[in-house]
Amino acid sequence: MEPLTIVTSTAVPLIRDNIDTDIIIPSREMRTVGKKGLGDGLFANWRYTDAATRTPDPGFVLNKPESQGAQILLGGRNFGSGSSREHAVWALAEYGFRVVIAESFSPIFHGNCIRNGLLPVVLDPAPLARPGLEITVDLPAQKVRAEGRNWSFEIDGEHKTILVNGLDPIGMTLELNDRIVAHERADRHARAWAWSVLQAES
């Protein structure tokens, strides 16, 4: 997973409340269990006038010229509600978003973001919703900056460590390798009989 520290980008303002995971990635767009190939289906019901032919709707904010290449998405309250589908986060990440700033998030969606390298920032997005405004999200400092102004945001310490270091679940386990090895050594000593049984059965 790619580490996330500082992201400087313009933002896509999609400040609507209760944008659920079926809006983010409709179920018909989930043709794979993997993380690849989902970006084209992102916001498909809003993004295309005809989803089958992928005809872009020029009125949808994601299709506007000033939105191209943006790595920050601005959302409203209860962003990512609905089903627990992880595909919603995968689609956002594959499209190129690294940060979502919203007033609040569904807890399950929030957790999926952390596990997949997407930073969910709980903050009022309204002051940032200007076309072409360059925004810097500084995760180590827990600051959002734009035009000389600063906004602070909170994040769980463990979540911050995961994102800054680009740790997936396997990477998180490997970070504890020394403690795991030490525990096994101590357990082998304390329960030698159990380890003898395991070796005999293997």
Side-chain angles (χ1 to χ4, degrees), residues 114-184:
I114 300 298
R115 285 189 293 275
N116 289 281
L118 188 68
L119 172 61
V121 174
V122 178
L123 198 66
D124 179 7
L128 305 169
R130 289 217 333 266
L133 179 65
E134 187 174 84
I135 300 166
T136 294
V137 179
D138 186 334
L139 176 54
Q142 294 179 213
K143 300 282 187 184
V144 174
R145 304 186 181 98
E147 292 188 323
R149 296 182 63 188
N150 289 275
W151 295 266
S152 298
F153 64 89
E154 297 297 321
I155 184 169
D156 176 84
E158 182 179 352
H159 293 170
K160 183 176 179 179
T161 298
I162 289 168
L163 291 169
V164 167
N165 292 287
L167 299 173
D168 59 16
I170 294 173
M172 291 167 60
T173 301
L174 292 176
E175 287 282 295
L176 302 173
N177 188 61
D178 290 346
R179 291 170 60 183
I180 293 169
V181 170
H183 171 78
E184 286 188 350

Side-chain angles (χ1 to χ4, degrees), residues 37-190:
L38 296 168
D40 284 345
L42 181 68
F43 297 116
N45 290 342
W46 292 350
R47 188 172 160 195
Y48 306 113
T49 56
D50 185 339
T53 61
R54 294 296 198 243
T55 304
D57 180 350
F60 182 56
V61 65
L62 210 63
N63 296 327
K64 294 185 179 296
E66 61 268 24
S67 296
Q68 305 313 300
Q71 298 181 72
I72 301 170
L73 178 66
L74 306 180
R77 297 183 184 91
N78 198 30
F79 192 91
S81 58
S83 75
S84 61
R85 67 183 65 162
E86 207 164 2
H87 297 71
V89 174
W90 295 347
L92 288 163
E94 186 179 53
Y95 185 82
F97 288 117
R98 299 300 316 274
V99 180
V100 180
I101 299 174
E103 286 193 53
S104 61
F105 293 89
S106 158
I108 294 175
F109 179 85
H110 186 282
N112 286 340
C113 283
I114 300 298
R115 285 189 293 275
N116 289 281
L118 188 68
L119 172 61
V121 174
V122 178
L123 198 66
D124 179 7
L128 305 169
R130 289 217 333 266
L133 179 65
E134 187 174 84
I135 300 166
T136 294
V137 179
D138 186 334
L139 176 54
Q142 294 179 213
K143 300 282 187 184
V144 174
R145 304 186 181 98
E147 292 188 323
R149 296 182 63 188
N150 289 275
W151 295 266
S152 298
F153 64 89
E154 297 297 321
I155 184 169
D156 176 84
E158 182 179 352
H159 293 170
K160 183 176 179 179
T161 298
I162 289 168
L163 291 169
V164 167
N165 292 287
L167 299 173
D168 59 16
I170 294 173
M172 291 167 60
T173 301
L174 292 176
E175 287 282 295
L176 302 173
N177 188 61
D178 290 346
R179 291 170 60 183
I180 293 169
V181 170
H183 171 78
E184 286 188 350
R185 285 175 180 161
D187 193 54
R188 281 178 185 272
H189 178 73

